[in-house]
Amino acid sequence: MTTVLPARRSTTAYTTARGPRPSTGPTLVEQAYEHLLAMLMSLEIAPGERIAIDGVARQLGMSQTPIREALSQLEAERLVTKMPNVGYRASAQMSRTEVRDLYTLRQLIEPYAAARAAESMTDESIAILQAIDRDMSSVVEGDVRAYSRFAEDDATLHRLIATGSGNRLIAETIERLHSHLHIFRSLYRTNAPEEAAREHRIIIDALVAHDPVAAERAVRTHLERSQERMDRVLANLPPAPAP
């Protein structure tokens, strides 16, 4: 069965946050990477599921070589794993300990990144932030499309903060963390859009005001509350099977 990828609602925000594409267009490896990443993030490739390289190659109309190179990149980001005599699989669902460790790391770097981003917000970034705020404010709890809409805006906001920090290593780390967290949230719908939107508005207001102290405090508070929401979900999950 041919997999149809979900269309992005706002390529402008995505391109601005990640940086403009070269005028010659993406390479075959970049195309394969974005395709596979989208399938992992949307759960079209579920955690633990085998990835058929020949099928992806047919779907994209390219050889298996760029597919394998893209999978090597995703393996480095721990989004897929390579199994002897089997090939590549999507990484297994994060454990409770891994989720909590992830939040600990976020608390160490994201408030700092927000403070630095607040000092360097451009007019273009501010316009994107204000559009995100309007979009998040329109999300209604219980709307079947609310989660995917909110998740995309959430990713764009945190990506803007990451790149706005001016620190490439921090930006790359935050990007990887959010990829793993997004997959977990997609499985268990933990975002609470209306509550989180209020927290995001405080972050956005601080960034727009170029207030590093307020931005750092707002992100720290948001992460604490987000972890509380995640902990409630984790408490209700069945115990992980023994290895």
Side-chain angles (χ1 to χ4, degrees):
M1 182 176 66
T2 301
T3 302
V4 179
L5 292 180
R8 292 189 181 276
R9 293 185 305 107
S10 175
T11 56
T12 301
Y14 180 83
T15 301
T16 301
R18 282 207 173 194
R21 288 288 192 190
S23 57
T24 54
T27 66
L28 292 178
V29 175
E30 288 172 338
Q31 290 179 46
Y33 175 89
E34 293 292 347
H35 178 91
L36 289 163
L37 180 62
M39 294 182 75
L40 291 164
M41 298 282 276
S42 65
L43 300 183
E44 291 184 62
I45 300 176
E49 183 178 339
R50 181 176 175 274
I51 300 170
I53 294 177
D54 55 344
V56 176
R58 285 195 302 272
Q59 188 175 351
L60 294 180
M62 61 178 67
S63 73
Q64 294 187 17
T65 300
I67 309 298
R68 293 182 186 278
E69 290 186 36
L71 285 167
S72 292
Q73 293 181 26
L74 291 165
E75 183 183 19
E77 297 172 12
R78 302 188 66 183
L79 289 169
V80 304
T81 55
K82 190 174 184 180
M83 309 293 291
N85 303 318
V86 175
Y88 288 95
R89 291 185 182 274
S91 293
Q93 170 192 321
M94 285 192 299
S95 68
R96 291 172 170 84
T97 299
E98 288 170 331
V99 171
R100 289 170 182 145
D101 287 348
L102 182 149
Y103 268 96
T104 298
L105 183 54
R106 291 184 70 190
Q107 283 281 15
L108 290 172
I109 62 176
E110 288 194 43
Y112 170 84
R116 301 290 74 78
E119 296 170 338
S120 60
M121 279 288 115
T122 64
D123 290 343
E124 182 180 12
S125 294
I126 287 172
I128 294 171
L129 289 171
Q130 291 170 335
I132 290 172
D133 184 35
R134 288 192 298 271
D135 200 28
M136 284 185 166
S137 298
S138 68
V139 172
V140 177
E141 201 87 46
D143 182 343
V144 293
R145 294 173 297 179
Y147 177 78
S148 59
R149 288 174 54 203
F150 182 89
E152 184 176 337
D153 286 329
D154 177 76
T156 302
L157 171 59
H158 286 279
R159 193 177 294 122
L160 276 172
I161 291 172
T163 57
S165 71
N167 186 310
R168 180 178 60 83
L169 293 178
I170 285 178
E172 290 175 354
T173 300
I174 291 175
E175 184 79 14
R176 286 194 296 271
L177 292 177
H178 274 270
S179 295
H180 288 276
L181 187 58
H182 176 88
I183 293 169
F184 187 91
R185 284 172 168 170
S186 295
L187 284 166
Y188 298 110
R189 297 293 192 269
T190 64
N191 251 335
E194 291 183 356
E195 182 179 349
R198 291 191 292 270
E199 297 163 15
H200 284 146
R201 184 174 302 114
I202 297 171
I203 296 171
I204 289 171
D205 287 346
L207 293 170
V208 170
H210 298 281
D211 186 336
V213 175
E216 181 172 351
R217 181 172 58 247
V219 168
R220 192 176 303 282
T221 299
H222 167 60
L223 291 175
E224 290 170 354
R225 293 176 180 171
S226 178
Q227 183 167 8
E228 289 171 1
R229 290 190 288 270
M230 190 70 76
D231 284 343
R232 288 196 293 270
V233 171
L234 290 171
N236 293 321
L237 291 182

